[in-house]
Amino acid sequence: MLYHLFTYLNEHWKIPGANLFQYLSFRASMAVLLSIFMMIINGQKFIDYLRAKQIGETVRDLGLDGQIEKKGTPTMGGLLIIASIIVPTLLFANLTNVYIWMLLIVSVWLGLIGFLDDYIKVFKKNKEGLSGRFKIVGQIGVGVFVSLMMYFHPDIKVRDLDHTYVYTMQDGKIHDQYNPVKVEAAKEIIKGKGEERDGLYYSHDSKSLLTNVPFLKGNNFNYDRLFDALGFHPFYYFIPFSFILIFIITAVSNGANITDGIDGLCTGTSALIGGALALLTYVTGNVIFSDYLNILYIPNVGELVIFVSAFIAACAGFLWWNSYPAQIFMGDTGSLALGGIIATICIIIRKELMIPILCGIFLVENLSVMIQVAYFKYTRKKYGEGRRIFLMSPLHHHYQKLGIHESKIVARFWIVGILLSLLSIVFLKVR
């Protein structure tokens, strides 16, 4: 809103300083400051309100040190996180940008699913919360929404500078060419370094299912090839594409939800992932950096830096209250939304195939639960009694059972998260 207001003031009234809102770095910085300010100022008031309404965590006794003491700790802090992301985004982002609206909708959508889960746990005194199938249906709905937007929305395009389509016109007719000299000339024009030439035309922004892949020469993969190999008609490519995105969003969202088991773990991990995504989003939305890194350039995606900056600040600000000993928990309201937001950003900037590295903490937490359950069922069927690989799953509870204090577990997970974020950035240039 402020972006549009100051753009108008700058264009029509030449108000001094109004042009600052044209700079992405300025608006991202303002989003960070406002998000942290909202979190710090409103945090204590929100905690006091939840305590007054007796909106506290219900805890099952799992035999973990310090677990029972957490009973009654205010929950639903995810509402504060989502508000601290949405308000700065609405104020400082360009609200005509399709990517901004996609993420706003995903944030609210998954936040509502998590809120229903927390509401049932707290007010209905049902420790199981929202039925698992309803959660999955909600997450599938988000996946369908994101996939249909990515596939059909006319403003969602990519620009692959290595496959710039160049053609010339002679006698009013188009003559297709892939002349290396003309391609290089077109690329210079696209980057703003060259001049238009008579008879040279180029088409570079297009609907595409291209995505970036680490380690692969050329660094690109087109889902079209996969769907064609599977025998799908091009008209129906959106069907398998939707299944892929549904799986990604559901997996990352549930991974964040499972990781939110001890004070500050999910919040800090999400902030670290957000830091890597901020850099990846910026270079993907910058035609010069994307050309240098040999990755896809996505027009207008740079605006997401505003949203991601607010996301990082909201997570960092929430740590003020959520670090050990936590004064408030985010609940499913926050964890489902954070995971869904991370997955959607990765999909938008075409880095979803890097999620196993970037979101390695979420992946390992997810796998620990799956392995534990599968092994328990297998041994119960084979030996008549279920056996376990881990002392307890998810993985962070295994370390708690080993007697390691939760603050040390969180710190070590954060260190691993930093390394994974750095690896995700480094792998952009690894072929």
Side-chain angles (χ1 to χ4, degrees):
M1 296 177 184
L2 290 178
Y3 167 78
H4 297 284
L5 172 62
F6 280 91
T7 298
Y8 176 83
L9 292 175
N10 182 52
E11 291 178 353
H12 295 86
W13 295 89
K14 305 299 180 183
I15 302 295
N19 65 329
L20 278 174
F21 279 78
Q22 301 302 310
Y23 294 98
L24 198 62
S25 56
F26 174 78
R27 289 185 286 130
S29 300
M30 293 299 294
V32 168
L33 292 174
L34 178 59
S35 182
I36 291 181
F37 180 81
M38 287 179 61
M39 189 64 73
I40 300 300
I41 297 300
N42 296 319
Q44 189 61 60
K45 296 177 182 177
F46 191 65
I47 292 170
D48 292 341
Y49 173 79
L50 293 176
R51 282 177 177 161
K53 297 295 183 180
Q54 297 183 338
I55 303 175
E57 185 78 3
T58 57
V59 176
R60 290 181 293 181
D61 188 2
L62 300 175
L64 298 170
D65 290 340
Q67 182 190 23
I68 300 301
E69 288 80 355
K70 298 177 186 292
K71 185 176 181 180
T73 302
T75 188
M76 294 188 180
L79 292 172
L80 196 58
I81 295 176
I82 294 172
S84 298
I85 295 173
I86 290 178
V87 172
T89 300
L90 290 176
L91 287 176
F92 298 111
N94 180 355
L95 299 182
T96 64
N97 188 292
V98 61
Y99 301 116
I100 292 293
W101 280 108
M102 280 179 65
L103 282 169
L104 290 174
I105 291 170
V106 168
S107 303
V108 173
W109 192 325
L110 288 172
L112 284 174
I113 295 171
F115 177 80
L116 287 174
D117 186 61
D118 291 333
Y119 181 85
I120 293 171
K121 289 177 181 176
V122 174
F123 293 99
K124 301 298 182 181
K125 306 303 179 182
N126 183 346
K127 294 181 181 180
E128 298 302 321
L130 187 67
S131 173
R133 64 176 179 271
F134 287 114
K135 279 187 184 179
I136 293 296
V137 167
Q139 292 169 324
I140 289 174
V142 173
V144 170
F145 164 73
V146 172
S147 60
L148 293 180
M149 288 290 289
M150 293 293 293
Y151 193 89
F152 290 109
H153 198 286
D155 293 337
I156 296 179
K157 298 180 180 180
V158 299
R159 181 183 304 177
D160 184 7
L161 292 176
D162 280 344
H163 297 86
T164 301
Y165 175 61
V166 181
Y167 60 90
T168 58
M169 291 192 68
Q170 297 176 6
D171 302 325
K173 297 180 180 179
I174 294 176
H175 297 265
D176 295 342
Q177 292 193 17
Y178 193 75
N179 184 307
V181 175
K182 293 184 181 296
V183 171
E184 288 303 315
K187 288 170 65 174
E188 291 300 308
I189 294 170
I190 294 169
K191 290 186 289 185
K193 297 181 179 180
E195 297 181 357
E196 295 282 358
R197 299 183 183 180
D198 292 338
L200 178 65
Y201 301 84
Y202 49 90
S203 175
H204 45 276
D205 294 347
S206 60
K207 296 294 295 180
S208 174
L209 296 183
L210 278 170
T211 191
N212 287 134
V213 186
F215 311 118
L216 186 67
K217 187 177 181 180
N219 208 31
N220 292 334
F221 171 74
N222 199 324
Y223 286 110
D224 287 357
R225 299 177 185 174
L226 173 63
F227 303 152
D228 184 59
L230 293 174
F232 283 89
H233 187 279
F235 182 79
Y236 299 106
Y237 281 174
F238 73 92
I239 296 176
F241 184 64
S242 296
F243 277 104
I244 292 173
L245 298 199
I246 288 169
F247 172 78
I248 291 171
I249 291 174
T250 302
V252 179
S253 183
N254 286 332
N257 186 235
I258 290 172
T259 304
D260 185 34
I262 52 180
D263 299 351
L265 180 56
C266 181
T267 315
T269 302
S270 297
L272 293 171
I273 294 171
L277 285 177
L279 180 60
L280 293 173
T281 301
Y282 180 76
V283 298
T284 302
N286 185 292
V287 68
I288 297 174
F289 285 126
S290 59
D291 182 41
Y292 171 74
L293 293 170
N294 192 27
I295 60 176
L296 294 172
Y297 167 67
I298 304 178
N300 304 316
V301 85
E303 194 67 24
L304 283 190
V305 172
I306 309 298
F307 184 97
V308 180
S309 298
F311 174 89
I312 298 168
C315 291
F318 191 69
L319 272 177
W320 184 278
W321 310 107
N322 185 238
S323 58
Y324 181 85
Q327 296 171 260
I328 187 173
F329 300 136
M330 70 171 69
D332 284 14
T333 307
S335 58
L336 288 176
L338 291 182
I341 289 169
I342 288 169
T344 304
I345 294 171
C346 290
I347 290 167
I348 287 174
I349 65 175
R350 314 295 173 115
K351 305 293 184 293
E352 69 274 13
L353 297 183
M354 296 179 67
I355 284 177
I357 303 169
L358 180 61
C359 302
I361 298 294
F362 295 165
L363 175 63
V364 169
E365 294 277 46
N366 250 337
L367 288 176
S368 68
V369 174
M370 295 168 64
I371 291 170
Q372 185 87 320
V373 171
Y375 186 73
F376 184 87
K377 290 182 177 179
Y378 169 75
T379 53
R380 185 173 61 184
K381 183 177 180 181
K382 185 172 183 178
Y383 303 110
E385 62 174 0
R387 300 176 184 178
R388 294 174 174 83
I389 295 177
F390 305 104
L391 296 178
M392 183 180 289
S393 64
L395 187 61
H396 56 263
H397 287 327
H398 170 78
Y399 291 115
Q400 279 187 287
K401 283 288 190 179
L402 289 174
I404 303 175
H405 194 275
E406 64 177 282
S407 59
K408 180 171 285 189
I409 297 171
V410 170
R412 289 176 174 174
F413 272 60
W414 285 356
I415 292 170
V416 174
I418 292 170
L419 293 175
L420 292 174
S421 296
L422 291 174
L423 283 174
S424 299
I425 295 168
V426 169
F427 285 162
L428 282 178
K429 287 298 290 181
V430 176
R431 302 289 187 268

